[in-house]
Amino acid sequence: EQKRRLIISGTIVVCFAMLLVTARRNNISLDSFWHLKMGLDWLENGQGFWQDHYSFTFSGKEISSPPYIFQTLLGWLVMELGLDTGFEVYKLISFVTTFSLVLFFLRLLRSPTIIYCLVLPLIVVMLQIRSIVRPELISYSFSVLAIIFYYKANNKISTATMLPITVLMLAWSNYHTSIFGYIIFLGFFLDLALQQIRHRTPISAWLLWLVWGVTIIAVGFLNPGFHHPVIGALTFSPEWKSIIDEYKSALMFQNLPAFYSLIVVFLVTTVLLLRNRQFGLLFICLFLGVNSAFMSRLLAPSGIVILCIFAWAVSEVDVRTRLQHMPKALNQAI
């Protein structure tokens, strides 16, 4: 046990050191500066978020669903701490929050030491892949929270399990990229439906399933523009895909060794989920994995979710017993 704690603690320290370095690198981009100016305009001059003030492509035009919370937070940090420090603090807060939630989830799962040593460094790599100051850096922590709520719900519908999910989706829909939350919880409701079919549950259980499903979908409209993230994702203009590198294939990361590690994790996770008959998680893994292969901007957020699901799937297997029996199986095979 002491050796296990030493290995895990060492891994955590190294990962935190890497995050500290990453928080100080590649902070400034034109996109980040636009978000900053939008936030400062509101904080200093009272100008609204729903009109583009600066971009050379859409200046003066209406914005349907701006990440106003992120823009306000970034503007406030820069006002209080200065440009460089404000950007670094935002990144560090985002990284530490996401990493800490993943660490909490691994402890909740009682994951074996090898999972800490595999998952935590890969989480750091995912955070480094897309580390410019953007609103989705905080959304990564929302994704991990969604997986945690999924796990703690234990395929049961009650006020205690559904209320945190509803509150999370309400907050997320007013922040940024809450489409990931809807993908994750679609898997959750799929698992519930399959379980209810197997157990032939009464109509009252299906009504409860429907009411909470509709509630979670409905809160997506509760934002200043009343724009639902799912509708926004489905109606997103394809024009951007031809002019932004973020919509290129994930093969742009083919020179990164961790890219191939993530592919192996994805394949292993898929096999384990099939074996464990965890079809909701399998849907999430396949949907995010396939889409991130064709869109590089999805690799980091999808990778974080898939790594959490990988840890969950492995926790369903008695890894220690299997490893102990492996030498015997190999000897018999020989």
Side-chain angles (χ1 to χ4, degrees):
E1 182 62 28
Q2 186 176 1
K3 184 179 179 181
R4 178 178 183 273
R5 289 182 180 178
L6 184 63
I7 293 173
I8 293 174
S9 298
T11 302
I12 293 171
V13 169
V14 171
C15 288
F16 266 114
M18 293 170 66
L19 291 176
L20 284 171
V21 173
T22 305
R24 303 202 62 184
R25 296 176 56 209
N26 304 323
N27 283 333
I28 306 299
S29 72
L30 295 177
D31 189 45
S32 303
F33 187 71
W34 180 85
H35 284 294
L36 171 63
K37 291 297 291 181
M38 291 290 288
L40 290 175
D41 271 0
W42 185 80
L43 290 169
E44 295 178 339
N45 305 317
Q47 290 184 283
F49 294 103
W50 284 266
Q51 184 180 13
D52 190 340
H53 308 152
Y54 292 103
S55 73
F56 66 90
T57 47
F58 295 98
S59 182
K61 293 188 178 180
E62 182 182 355
I63 303 174
S64 59
S65 53
Y68 62 96
I69 296 176
F70 160 71
Q71 292 169 344
T72 303
L73 174 61
L74 184 61
W76 179 78
L77 285 172
V78 169
M79 287 176 62
E80 295 296 321
L81 304 174
L83 183 64
D84 290 336
T85 306
F87 271 50
E88 290 171 7
V89 167
Y90 171 79
K91 286 178 67 175
L92 189 59
I93 290 172
S94 304
F95 291 163
V96 170
T97 303
T98 302
F99 186 84
S100 299
L101 284 170
V102 173
L103 183 59
F104 171 78
F105 186 51
L106 295 183
R107 289 179 175 174
L108 193 65
L109 294 170
R110 298 181 180 178
S111 298
T113 305
I114 187 65
I115 296 303
Y116 282 86
C117 296
L118 285 174
V119 169
L120 294 181
L122 283 173
I123 288 291
V124 173
V125 173
M126 291 300 103
L127 292 172
Q128 290 176 328
I129 282 178
R130 187 171 168 80
S131 64
I132 61 172
V133 175
R134 295 253 325 150
E136 55 262 37
L137 292 189
I138 287 180
S139 291
Y140 296 162
S141 60
F142 290 166
S143 294
V144 182
L145 267 178
I147 293 293
I148 292 173
F149 290 160
Y150 189 153
Y151 174 77
K152 296 191 75 172
N154 195 26
N155 283 347
K156 295 176 183 176
I157 287 187
S158 67
T159 303
T161 58
M162 293 296 104
L163 192 57
I165 292 174
T166 306
V167 172
L168 173 63
M169 292 313 304
L170 176 61
W172 205 345
S173 296
N174 280 274
Y175 187 68
H176 189 66
T177 60
S178 59
I179 184 65
F180 280 90
Y182 281 104
I183 293 168
I184 291 169
F185 292 123
L186 178 57
F188 172 71
F189 276 89
L190 175 61
D191 266 344
L192 283 170
L194 292 173
Q195 178 179 272
Q196 291 179 177
I197 291 171
R198 285 195 301 269
H199 295 166
R200 299 182 180 180
T201 54
I203 189 66
S204 58
W206 283 103
L207 287 174
L208 196 60
W209 178 88
L210 181 62
V211 167
W212 278 110
V214 170
T215 300
I216 292 170
I217 292 172
V219 296
F221 288 104
L222 299 181
N223 53 69
F226 298 103
H227 292 282
H228 201 282
V230 175
I231 297 174
L234 293 174
T235 59
F236 187 77
S237 173
E239 178 185 0
W240 290 102
K241 298 181 181 181
S242 62
I243 59 177
I244 299 181
D245 287 343
E246 294 174 346
Y247 291 93
K248 290 183 178 180
S249 166
L251 287 176
M252 65 185 297
F253 298 110
Q254 61 183 328
N255 294 325
L256 187 68
F259 175 71
Y260 300 98
S261 300
L262 188 60
I263 292 175
V264 173
V265 167
F266 170 75
L267 294 174
V268 171
T269 305
T270 302
V271 172
L272 288 175
L273 293 175
L274 279 170
R275 174 189 176 277
N276 299 340
R277 300 178 65 84
Q278 295 172 294
F279 296 112
L281 292 174
L282 180 62
F283 160 77
I284 298 167
C285 187
L286 290 175
F287 187 91
L288 294 180
V290 171
N291 279 278
S292 61
F294 297 100
M295 194 182 301
S296 61
R297 68 173 296 177
L298 295 180
L299 185 63
S302 298
I304 290 171
V305 173
I306 291 170
L307 285 166
C308 289
I309 295 175
F310 167 71
W312 184 349
V314 172
S315 74
E316 302 292 325
V317 180
D318 190 349
V319 178
R320 181 173 297 178
T321 301
R322 287 182 176 274
L323 288 176
Q324 288 173 348
H325 284 81
M326 190 175 292
K328 296 179 182 179
L330 287 174
N331 288 332
Q332 290 175 358
I334 294 172

